[in-house]
Amino acid sequence: MGGFIIYFAILLIVPLWAQMRVKSTYKKYSKVANSTGKTGAEVARQILDENGLYNVQVEPVRGKLSDHYDPRSKVVRLSEDNYYGNSIAGAAVAAHEVGHAIQDAEGYAFLRFRHALVPVANIGSNFSFFLILGGIFFQATNLFLLGIIFMSAAVLFQFVTLPVEFNASSRAMDQIVSTGMIRNNEERGARKVLNAAALTYVAGALVALLELARFIFMFLGMNQDD
C-alpha cells in the first residue's frame, strides 16, 4: 500500500512541481530586462544570421510559453511576451528555440531520430491506453501486449526528447554568452530559466516510464495467472 501511495504521489506531484518551477522562474526573470535591450525577436534573428540561417523566419505567436521551432516551415515562433519583450527570460527562450533550428540545419542525430518517432509515438499516445484497457477487460494478453508496445514508443519519444532539449539549451547559452547578448551577471538567470524548462521534460519522461512499468508488471501478472 505504501508503494502504491508513493507511486501516485510521484505521478501527481513531480509534474506539478516541475510546472510550478518553470512558471515561477520564468515569471521572475521575465520582469528583469537584459542589459543589451534586445527583444527576443532580435536575439533570435541575430543568432540565426550568425549561423547562416537566413532562411529561418522569426514570428510572434499567441499564448504563454508557446514558443517553439517549426522544422517544416523553418520558423522560430516566440510567444508575444518574448517576441516583443527584452527580458532575460525572453532572450534565453528565444536562443533555445534557435538552438533547435541550428540542430535541424546540422542534422542533429537525436532530432532526426525524434522526428522519425513522431508517427508511431502519436499512435502510442492516442491508442495505447485503450488497447491496454481492452486487454484487461477482455483478458486478451495479445491486445494488452500491443498496447504496451505502442506505449513504449511514446515513452521512447519522451526520452529521446531529453538530449534534444538539453542540447538546444546548451547551444542557447553558448550563443547568448559568446555574442554578449547576456552579460556575466545575467547568465545565472538565463541558465535558471532554461534548467527549469528542462525539468518539465524530465518529469514527463519519469512519469511516462513509471506508467509503462506499471502496465508491464500487470501484463506479467496476467500471464502468471494463466
Side-chain angles (χ1 to χ4, degrees):
M1 183 68 179
F4 192 71
I5 293 173
I6 292 172
Y7 167 78
F8 275 102
I10 293 173
L11 213 64
L12 295 172
I13 294 172
V14 170
L16 182 62
W17 171 77
Q19 286 292 335
M20 289 174 62
R21 177 77 180 274
V22 71
K23 286 180 180 178
S24 63
T25 305
Y26 174 81
K27 183 178 180 180
K28 177 180 178 179
Y29 289 100
S30 65
K31 295 177 180 178
V32 182
N34 64 69
S35 56
T36 63
K38 289 182 180 293
T39 65
E42 291 171 332
V43 168
R45 184 72 268 159
Q46 182 175 333
I47 298 174
L48 287 168
D49 290 349
E50 289 183 357
N51 285 273
L53 300 180
Y54 307 107
N55 63 315
V56 178
Q57 302 302 308
V58 184
E59 298 176 353
V61 64
R62 290 183 179 179
K64 201 80 171 177
L65 292 175
S66 53
D67 313 78
H68 64 278
Y69 169 65
D70 183 347
R72 292 168 298 178
S73 304
K74 307 299 181 188
V75 175
V76 170
R77 296 193 174 98
L78 302 176
S79 57
E80 292 177 338
D81 287 347
N82 292 332
Y83 185 91
Y84 297 108
N86 62 349
S87 67
I88 291 175
V93 171
H96 175 88
E97 299 308 331
V98 173
H100 288 309
I102 297 172
Q103 289 174 337
D104 187 25
E106 292 181 355
Y108 180 60
F110 281 107
L111 185 67
R112 290 204 309 268
F113 187 30
R114 187 175 74 167
H115 287 167
L117 284 172
V118 167
V120 68
N122 285 339
I123 293 172
S125 297
N126 293 327
F127 298 107
S128 61
F129 194 67
F130 294 105
L131 291 170
I132 289 171
L133 282 180
I136 294 171
F137 184 77
F138 296 109
Q139 289 295 298
T141 55
N142 289 341
L143 196 62
F144 200 129
L145 180 59
L146 184 61
I148 288 175
I149 291 170
F150 279 128
M151 181 176 282
S152 298
V155 172
L156 178 60
F157 178 84
Q158 293 209 42
F159 273 89
V160 171
T161 294
L162 296 180
V164 173
E165 294 299 327
F166 282 116
N167 179 264
S169 290
S170 177
R171 291 171 187 263
M173 288 305 303
D174 289 344
Q175 293 286 336
I176 56 180
V177 171
S178 64
T179 56
M181 285 184 277
I182 290 291
R183 306 295 165 82
N184 290 338
N185 59 327
E186 300 166 333
E187 185 177 340
R188 185 165 173 265
R191 197 177 297 278
K192 279 187 173 182
V193 170
L194 296 176
N195 287 344
L199 276 176
T200 61
Y201 293 100
V202 174
L206 175 62
V207 167
L209 182 62
L210 285 173
E211 276 284 83
L212 177 62
R214 179 167 71 96
F215 287 125
I216 289 174
F217 285 126
M218 287 177 65
F219 174 76
L220 294 174
M222 286 176 66
N223 283 337
Q224 287 176 355
D225 292 340
D226 292 340

